[in-house]
Amino acid sequence: MSLYRLEELSTRALDRLPREQTIVILPVSPLEEHGPHLPLGVDAFTAEHFARALAARIVIERAGWCVVLAPLLHLGSFTFDHVGTVYRFPVFRTNFPLLLSLLLGAAAVVALWLLR
């Protein structure tokens, strides 16, 4: 099997993967309101779907390659404050410097693993 979920791998199993032929996919999505008829996770569901589809395609088209699918990272606009909503949540906004530092941090972790 060459498709792995990061949270299911031990550190030893992760370390055994061939670094030259391993891709880590990190889906990123906000949680935000899309009206009263849709769940807050619409964007997250879409990001996870495309991450899984991309991972499956890589496994099929690139023999010998491994794909590690990282857990979804919720970043971006966390807006749940809507007039008429029964439950009101505080509005959380992630600013660009914080978003950039989180993404660069995740990239650095992957890079350090690849260079070991």
Side-chain angles (χ1 to χ4, degrees), residues 2-113:
S2 52
L3 177 57
Y4 305 93
R5 294 174 51 96
L6 181 60
E7 62 269 28
E8 295 175 357
L9 290 173
S10 68
T11 53
R12 288 184 178 162
L14 182 62
D15 201 42
R16 285 193 297 266
L17 295 177
R19 287 171 175 75
E20 302 80 28
Q21 291 184 294
T22 299
I23 296 173
V24 178
I25 299 175
L26 174 65
V28 177
S29 172
L31 279 177
E32 59 189 2
E33 188 171 4
H34 293 280
H37 61 293
L38 292 173
L40 299 172
V42 166
D43 296 324
F45 302 148
T46 303
E48 287 180 324
H49 168 78
F50 282 111
R52 285 192 305 269
L54 176 62
R57 186 170 179 177
I58 291 169
V59 168
I60 291 169
E61 295 183 6
R62 301 208 178 254
W65 280 74
C66 298
V67 178
V68 177
L69 190 55
L72 178 81
L73 182 59
H74 288 287
L75 291 177
S77 172
F78 293 83
T79 57
F80 307 119
D81 192 6
H82 179 71
V83 176
T85 302
V86 175
Y87 299 101
R88 295 178 66 85
F89 298 93
V91 176
F92 298 99
R93 301 199 187 276
T94 304
N95 60 27
F96 182 73
L98 177 59
L99 173 64
L100 186 60
S101 68
L102 288 170
L103 289 175
L104 289 175
V109 168
V110 171
L112 288 172
W113 171 76

